[in-house]
Coordinates of all heavy atoms in Angstrom, one line a residue:
Chain A
G3 N -132.8 27.4 113.7 CA -132.2 27.7 114.9 C -131.6 26.8 115.8 O -130.7 27.1 116.6
D15 N -138.5 11.9 107.0 CA -139.1 11.4 108.2 C -140.4 12.3 108.5 O -141.4 11.8 108.7 CB -138.1 11.6 109.3 CG -137.1 10.4 109.3 OD1 -137.2 9.5 108.5 OD2 -136.0 10.5 110.0
T23 N -137.9 9.6 97.6 CA -139.0 10.4 97.1 C -138.8 11.9 97.3 O -139.1 12.8 96.5 CB -140.4 10.0 97.9 OG1 -140.6 8.7 97.7 CG2 -141.5 10.9 97.4
V24 N -138.1 12.3 98.4 CA -137.8 13.7 98.6 C -136.9 14.1 97.5 O -137.1 15.2 96.9 CB -137.2 13.9 99.9 CG1 -136.7 15.4 100.1 CG2 -138.1 13.5 101.1
V34 N -144.1 12.6 91.4 CA -144.5 12.5 92.8 C -146.0 13.0 92.9 O -146.2 14.0 92.3 CB -143.6 13.4 93.7 CG1 -144.1 13.5 95.1 CG2 -142.1 12.9 93.7
I75 N -107.3 38.4 87.2 CA -108.6 39.1 87.3 C -108.3 40.6 87.6 O -109.3 41.4 87.3 CB -109.4 38.5 88.4 CG1 -110.9 39.1 88.4 CG2 -108.8 38.7 89.7 CD1 -111.6 38.6 87.2
P81 N -112.1 41.2 84.0 CA -113.4 41.2 84.9 C -114.6 41.3 84.0 O -115.7 40.7 84.4 CB -113.2 42.6 85.6 CG -111.7 42.8 85.8 CD -111.1 42.2 84.5
A84 N -115.1 37.8 83.0 CA -115.6 36.9 84.2 C -117.1 37.3 84.5 O -117.9 36.3 84.8 CB -114.8 37.3 85.4
D89 N -122.7 35.7 84.7 CA -124.2 35.9 84.5 C -124.9 34.8 83.8 O -125.9 34.3 84.3 CB -124.2 37.2 83.7 CG -124.1 38.4 84.6 OD1 -123.9 38.3 85.8 OD2 -124.1 39.5 84.0
R111 N -101.0 24.6 85.7 CA -101.2 23.2 86.0 C -101.9 22.9 87.2 O -102.8 22.1 87.3 CB -99.8 22.5 85.8 CG -99.9 21.0 85.6 CD -98.5 20.2 85.6 NE -97.5 21.2 85.1 CZ -97.1 21.2 83.8 NH1 -97.6 20.3 82.9 NH2 -96.2 22.0 83.4
E115 N -105.5 21.2 87.9 CA -105.6 19.9 88.6 C -106.5 20.1 89.9 O -107.3 19.2 90.1 CB -104.2 19.5 89.1 CG -103.4 18.8 88.0 CD -102.0 18.4 88.5 OE1 -101.6 18.9 89.6 OE2 -101.2 17.7 87.7
E144 N -113.8 13.9 80.2 CA -115.2 14.1 80.6 C -115.6 15.6 81.0 O -116.7 16.0 80.9 CB -115.5 13.2 81.8 CG -115.4 11.8 81.5 CD -116.5 11.2 80.6 OE1 -117.5 11.8 80.6 OE2 -116.2 10.3 79.9
T145 N -114.5 16.3 81.4 CA -114.9 17.7 81.7 C -115.0 18.6 80.6 O -114.2 18.7 79.6 CB -113.6 18.1 82.5 OG1 -113.3 17.2 83.6 CG2 -114.0 19.6 83.2
T150 N -110.1 29.9 75.6 CA -110.1 31.2 74.9 C -108.7 31.6 74.5 O -107.8 31.7 75.4 CB -110.6 32.4 75.7 OG1 -110.5 32.0 77.1 CG2 -112.0 32.7 75.3
P158 N -107.8 20.0 70.9 CA -108.8 19.1 71.5 C -109.6 19.6 72.5 O -109.8 19.2 73.6 CB -107.8 18.0 72.1 CG -106.7 18.8 72.5 CD -106.5 20.0 71.5
L163 N -112.5 32.0 70.2 CA -111.5 32.7 69.6 C -111.8 34.1 69.3 O -112.8 34.5 68.8 CB -111.0 32.0 68.3 CG -110.1 30.7 68.4 CD1 -109.9 30.1 69.9 CD2 -110.5 29.6 67.4
L170 N -106.0 44.0 64.2 CA -104.6 44.5 64.1 C -104.3 44.9 62.6 O -103.6 46.0 62.4 CB -103.6 43.5 64.6 CG -102.4 43.9 65.3 CD1 -103.0 44.8 66.6 CD2 -101.6 42.8 65.9
L177 N -102.7 53.0 59.8 CA -101.4 53.7 59.9 C -100.8 53.9 58.5 O -100.3 55.1 58.2 CB -100.4 52.8 60.7 CG -100.1 53.1 62.2 CD1 -101.0 54.2 62.9 CD2 -100.2 51.8 63.0
E205 N -97.1 39.9 63.4 CA -96.4 39.5 62.2 C -97.3 39.2 61.0 O -97.2 39.5 59.9 CB -95.5 38.4 62.4 CG -94.2 38.7 63.2 CD -93.3 37.6 63.6 OE1 -93.8 36.4 63.6 OE2 -92.1 38.0 64.0
R225 N -99.0 49.3 82.9 CA -98.6 50.5 82.5 C -97.1 50.7 82.6 O -96.3 51.2 81.7 CB -99.3 51.6 83.3 CG -99.1 53.0 82.9 CD -100.4 53.8 83.3 NE -100.5 53.6 84.8 CZ -100.0 54.6 85.6 NH1 -99.3 55.6 85.2 NH2 -100.2 54.4 86.9
A232 N -91.3 50.7 76.0 CA -91.4 51.8 74.9 C -90.2 52.6 75.1 O -89.6 53.0 74.1 CB -92.7 52.6 75.2
A233 N -89.7 52.8 76.3 CA -88.5 53.7 76.4 C -87.4 52.9 75.7 O -86.5 53.6 75.0 CB -88.2 53.8 78.0
H240 N -82.5 53.9 65.3 CA -83.6 54.1 64.3 C -84.8 53.6 64.9 O -85.0 52.3 65.1 CB -83.1 53.3 63.0 CG -84.2 53.3 62.0 ND1 -84.4 52.3 61.1 CD2 -85.1 54.3 61.7 CE1 -85.4 52.7 60.3 NE2 -85.8 53.8 60.7
R266 N -94.1 63.7 70.4 CA -95.5 63.9 70.4 C -96.2 62.6 70.0 O -95.8 61.8 69.1 CB -95.9 65.0 69.5 CG -95.4 66.4 69.9 CD -95.4 67.4 68.8 NE -94.6 66.8 67.6 CZ -94.7 67.3 66.4 NH1 -95.5 68.3 66.1 NH2 -93.9 66.9 65.4
T281 N -110.8 52.6 80.3 CA -109.8 53.7 80.5 C -109.4 54.2 79.1 O -108.9 55.4 79.1 CB -108.6 53.1 81.3 OG1 -109.1 52.6 82.5 CG2 -107.7 54.4 81.7
T291 N -107.4 52.1 69.5 CA -107.2 50.7 70.0 C -108.0 49.7 69.3 O -108.9 50.1 68.6 CB -107.4 50.6 71.5 OG1 -107.0 49.4 72.1 CG2 -108.9 50.8 71.8
Y319 N -116.1 19.1 68.3 CA -115.6 20.4 69.1 C -116.4 21.6 68.4 O -116.5 21.6 67.1 CB -114.1 20.5 68.9 CG -113.4 19.5 69.8 CD1 -112.4 18.7 69.3 CD2 -113.8 19.4 71.1 CE1 -111.8 17.8 70.1 CE2 -113.1 18.5 71.9 CZ -112.1 17.7 71.4 OH -111.5 16.7 72.2
H327 N -112.1 44.8 66.0 CA -112.0 45.9 65.1 C -111.3 47.1 65.7 O -111.3 47.4 66.9 CB -113.3 46.2 64.5 CG -114.3 46.9 65.5 ND1 -115.0 46.2 66.3 CD2 -114.4 48.3 65.8 CE1 -115.6 47.0 67.2 NE2 -115.4 48.2 66.9
Q332 N -107.4 59.2 69.3 CA -106.2 60.3 69.1 C -104.9 59.7 69.0 O -104.0 60.5 68.5 CB -106.4 61.3 70.2 CG -107.8 62.0 70.2 CD -108.1 62.7 71.5 OE1 -107.3 62.6 72.5 NE2 -109.1 63.6 71.6

Side-chain angles (χ1 to χ4, degrees):
Chain A
D15 290 347
T23 302
V24 176
V34 171
I75 191 69
D89 283 353
R111 197 184 330 264
E115 285 178 346
E144 298 291 331
T145 308
T150 20
L163 277 12
L170 219 54
L177 259 8
E205 290 172 338
R225 192 153 55 92
H240 178 212
R266 294 162 304 164
T281 311
T291 191
Y319 293 127
H327 69 273
Q332 301 164 348

